[in-house]
Amino acid sequence: MEFVKVVICHLLSQKEFFMSPSAIVEKGIPFNLKDHVSYAIGSVVSKTLLKKDVGNITLFSFDAGQGLSEHTSPYDAVVHILDGEAEIRIDGKPISVKAGEMVVMPANIPHALQAHQQFKMLLIMIRGQ
C-alpha cells in the first residue's frame, strides 16, 4: 500500500503521520475496520473513510509511543478502540481503553491520546450542536 507523508500542525504538534492517498472507502462494499489500516513504525496512520460537511469518520493506527497532543474540538467526538490499548486524557484525567471499548470525548474539553502499545481506533466526529 502506498502512503503519503503528511505533517499536521494543529493536532499532532508538527509530528509526521501517513495518509493513504485513496482513503475514502467504496460505498456498499463490506470491509473489516481493524484490517483496513496498517501500523507504521514510529508513526500514526490516518485513513478518512467518510468526509462530509456534517462530519468525518476516520480510521487511525498508532505505533507504540505515538499520540495526539492535547487539543479541544467544538464538537463531541467518539473514539472506538479496534485493536490494542490506549490512554485517553480528558480534562487531564487518564482513561485506559482497550479493543472493543469506546469513549465519547466532550466538546470544548481538552483531550489527548497516547499509545503505550500499538493500537487502532475509529474516530467519529459529527459537526453540530
Side-chain angles (χ1 to χ4, degrees):
M1 178 180 289
E2 180 182 337
F3 290 100
V4 175
K5 187 187 272 187
V6 177
V7 178
I8 298 294
C9 299
H10 175 66
L11 293 179
L12 298 174
S13 300
Q14 296 188 354
K15 287 187 181 179
E16 295 176 349
F17 78 101
F18 297 89
M19 290 183 69
S20 168
S22 58
I24 304 292
V25 297
E26 188 173 348
K27 295 177 183 175
I29 305 297
F31 64 96
N32 183 299
L33 279 174
K34 189 170 110 175
D35 297 338
H36 202 65
V37 66
S38 299
Y39 291 109
I41 296 172
S43 299
V44 176
V45 178
S46 169
K47 289 181 93 173
T48 301
L49 303 179
L50 190 63
K51 185 176 179 109
K52 301 285 183 178
D53 290 340
V54 295
N56 302 326
I57 300 175
T58 309
L59 191 56
F60 286 89
S61 71
F62 292 76
D63 195 19
Q66 300 301 307
L68 296 178
S69 59
E70 187 175 83
H71 61 281
T72 59
S73 171
Y75 310 107
D76 289 342
V78 176
V79 170
H80 180 217
I81 306 300
L82 303 168
D83 186 43
E85 294 182 30
E87 179 183 278
I88 298 177
R89 289 187 170 273
I90 299 175
D91 205 17
K93 298 174 188 142
I95 300 167
S96 180
V97 288
K98 61 182 184 288
E101 296 179 334
M102 65 185 262
V103 174
V104 177
M105 298 184 299
N108 303 309
I109 303 294
H111 54 271
L113 292 91
Q114 184 64 41
H116 297 297
Q117 64 178 42
Q118 288 184 328
F119 82 96
K120 295 179 182 181
M121 72 174 201
L122 183 68
L123 175 68
I124 303 168
M125 175 82 74
I126 299 172
R127 295 182 180 94
Q129 300 303 326

